[in-house]
Amino acid sequence: MYRIGELADLCEVKADTLRFYEKHGLLTPSSRTDSGYRVYTETDAARLRFILRAKAVGFTLNEISELLSIDLDKSNWVCADVKGMVDVKLAQVQAKIAELNHFQASLQSLSDACCGGPRSAEHCSILEALESSTDSVRTEHDHELHLHPFQEPTDHFNDLGKAAHEKSGN
Amino acid sequence: MYRIGELADLCEVKADTLRFYEKHGLLTPSSRTDSGYRVYTETDAARLRFILRAKAVGFTLNEISELLSIDLDKSNWVCADVKGMVDVKLAQVQAKIAELNHFQASLQSLSDACCGGPRSAEHCSILEALESSTDSVRTEHDHELHLHPFQEPTDHFNDLGKAAHEKSGN
DNA sequence: ATAAACCTTGGAGCCCACTCCAAGGTCAAG
DNA sequence: CTTGACCTTGGAGTGGGCTCCAAGGTTTAT
Ligand SMILES: [Zn+2]
Ligand SMILES: [Zn+2]
Ligand SMILES: [Zn+2]
Ligand SMILES: [Zn+2]
């Protein structure tokens, strides 16, 4: 038997969260004290742990509601039903990962092209890339050129060397 | 000069979205007709494209507001500022990817352990894993045993063959 | 002249999972 | 008997990005 704060501490959740789960039908305490305090049994605690484990693998609370009702009525469901839910979620997660991998690659190429230094953002290749319609990103390879405008012919060599370091835009 | 629907079609966005961006200070049309219709210039269109490109690399609209104000006032910002925003976003995206990779691995091991067949969910290893406190997942390797309770000794061979296909739980 | 296709506004609703608040009741220790 | 830690409720707020609605005004084609 736990009061709300005890169960919350036990499962490293806030009491507010337990009230929220109750409001949404996921976890109703088995009883109340005379004064109205929620009283959770060990069974309630097990149900909370189920919820938290399902959350830890990426299910939403709505999906967890479904899983809970299946769990309480197993004989009317088959493995295909349960595995179906997992596989749908898996596909969603994989789709999201793919999207974020796109973001990650784009951000990395923007970051790589920018010197990150104290020079004016007027020359910043990140802003330039966001302004322009092309997908390629210019690398900021012209620092010394700006700082030393009167270069010797050997700077052509520098330019070529730097150019070789540049990432090609996609 | 575009009316709202024209710009929306041009950039494959809904007119509602453009009004939403305006309400949130991201994109205000340069003028209005006498009858109150929004009129967008080519500059406005460029700004919208900036917004859409920033969205495509994962920035939120609030972050895009910041980027836009930097872009309009470049001389008062430096590369470090811009690259900083990109790198913060990059770290956020990478953290989210890491979380989703966890989800993905957990879901995959749940899925792998379940037969996905038409048998009662009473034997489902997915539900069992969500109920139990251990992190390992039992593989459902006992189908034929249940369906054909009177087996010949050769079924031991079947069991071993199946066991070799099983993924080990984590 | 009239219909169709456009445009205007303010505001509500949605998904998701909390999180916080105010105003009060309860309970154990000192 | 007071203090402080706990508990109760309903409801509002957060961030994010739209999306839809109603009730009207405008433009264009026929
Ligand atoms: Zn720079
Ligand atoms: Zn830069
Ligand atoms: Zn099965
Ligand atoms: Zn199963």
Side-chain angles (χ1 to χ4, degrees):
Chain A
M1 301 298 211
Y2 310 99
R3 279 179 312 170
I4 195 168
E6 287 167 350
L7 182 58
D9 286 352
L10 192 64
C11 293
E12 297 179 280
V13 172
K14 295 196 177 182
D16 269 340
T17 302
L18 297 184
R19 286 188 206 101
F20 177 81
Y21 287 171
E22 184 175 351
K23 201 187 301 181
H24 288 70
L26 282 113
L27 181 67
T28 305
S30 294
S31 57
R32 297 275 184 137
T33 65
D34 290 348
S35 57
Y37 285 19
R38 289 167 178 82
V39 174
Y40 296 90
T41 64
E42 198 50 58
T43 304
D44 297 330
R47 190 174 167 101
L48 175 56
R49 277 180 225 111
F50 183 108
I51 293 168
L52 298 178
R53 267 175 232 121
K55 263 187 54 104
V57 302
F59 284 107
T60 65
L61 297 189
N62 281 342
E63 290 159 349
I64 294 170
S65 284
E66 262 193 87
L67 284 170
L68 283 166
S69 65
I70 290 176
D71 195 59
L72 286 180
D73 186 30
K74 283 177 176 153
S75 58
N76 283 316
W77 299 88
V78 295
C79 270
D81 299 321
V82 183
K83 184 166 180 163
M85 287 189 65
V86 168
D87 287 346
V88 164
K89 194 76 217 173
L90 186 54
Q92 287 171 8
V93 165
Q94 283 167 344
K96 193 73 189 171
I97 288 173
E99 187 192 13
L100 291 178
N101 278 337
H102 262 133
F103 289 170
Q104 201 235 26
S106 302
L107 289 166
Q108 190 69 65
S109 90
L110 287 175
S111 181
D112 288 348
C114 173
C115 71
R119 287 185 59 218
S120 163
E122 280 162 328
H123 87 296
C124 185
S125 56
I126 293 173
L127 296 177
E128 190 180 271
L130 293 173
E131 288 160 15
S132 81
S133 45
T134 73
D135 280 355
S136 67
V137 184
R138 174 187 60 88
T139 299
E140 296 169 12
H141 57 312
D142 51 352
H143 285 203
E144 282 73 16
L145 275 71
H146 284 242
L147 293 169
H148 306 289
F150 304 104
Q151 296 142 45
E152 292 161 10
T154 55
D155 276 29
H156 281 299
F157 174 76
N158 276 344
D159 284 357
L160 289 169
K162 280 161 187 284
H165 289 160
E166 288 173 12
K167 317 235 162 177
S168 64
N170 46 343
Chain B
M1 300 299 210
Y2 311 98
R3 279 179 312 171
I4 195 167
E6 288 167 349
L7 182 58
D9 285 353
L10 191 64
C11 293
E12 297 179 282
V13 171
K14 294 196 176 180
D16 269 341
T17 301
L18 297 183
R19 288 188 205 102
F20 176 82
Y21 288 170
E22 184 176 352
K23 201 187 305 181
H24 289 70
L26 282 109
L27 181 67
T28 305
S30 294
S31 57
R32 297 274 184 138
T33 64
D34 291 348
S35 57
Y37 284 20
R38 289 167 178 83
V39 174
Y40 296 89
T41 64
E42 199 49 58
T43 304
D44 298 329
R47 190 173 166 101
L48 176 57
R49 279 180 224 111
F50 184 107
I51 293 168
L52 298 178
R53 266 173 233 121
K55 262 185 54 104
V57 302
F59 285 108
T60 65
L61 297 188
N62 281 341
E63 290 159 348
I64 293 170
S65 285
E66 263 193 85
L67 285 170
L68 281 167
S69 64
I70 291 176
D71 195 57
L72 285 181
D73 186 30
K74 284 178 178 153
S75 57
N76 283 316
W77 298 87
V78 295
C79 270
D81 299 321
V82 183
K83 184 166 180 164
M85 288 189 64
V86 169
D87 287 347
V88 164
K89 195 75 215 171
L90 186 54
Q92 287 171 8
V93 165
Q94 283 166 345
K96 193 73 189 170
I97 288 173
E99 187 192 12
L100 291 177
N101 278 337
H102 263 132
F103 290 171
Q104 201 236 26
S106 302
L107 289 165
Q108 191 69 66
S109 90
L110 287 175
S111 181
D112 287 349
C114 174
C115 73
R119 287 185 59 220
S120 163
E122 279 162 326
H123 86 295
C124 185
S125 57
I126 293 172
L127 296 177
E128 191 180 273
L130 292 173
E131 288 161 15
S132 82
S133 44
T134 74
D135 280 356
S136 67
V137 184
R138 176 186 59 86
T139 300
E140 297 169 12
H141 57 312
D142 51 353
H143 285 203
E144 283 72 16
L145 277 69
H146 284 241
L147 291 170
H148 307 289
F150 304 105
Q151 296 143 45
E152 292 161 11
T154 55
D155 276 28
H156 280 299
F157 174 76
N158 276 344
D159 284 358
L160 288 168
K162 280 162 188 285
H165 290 159
E166 287 172 14
K167 318 237 166 183
S168 63
N170 49 340

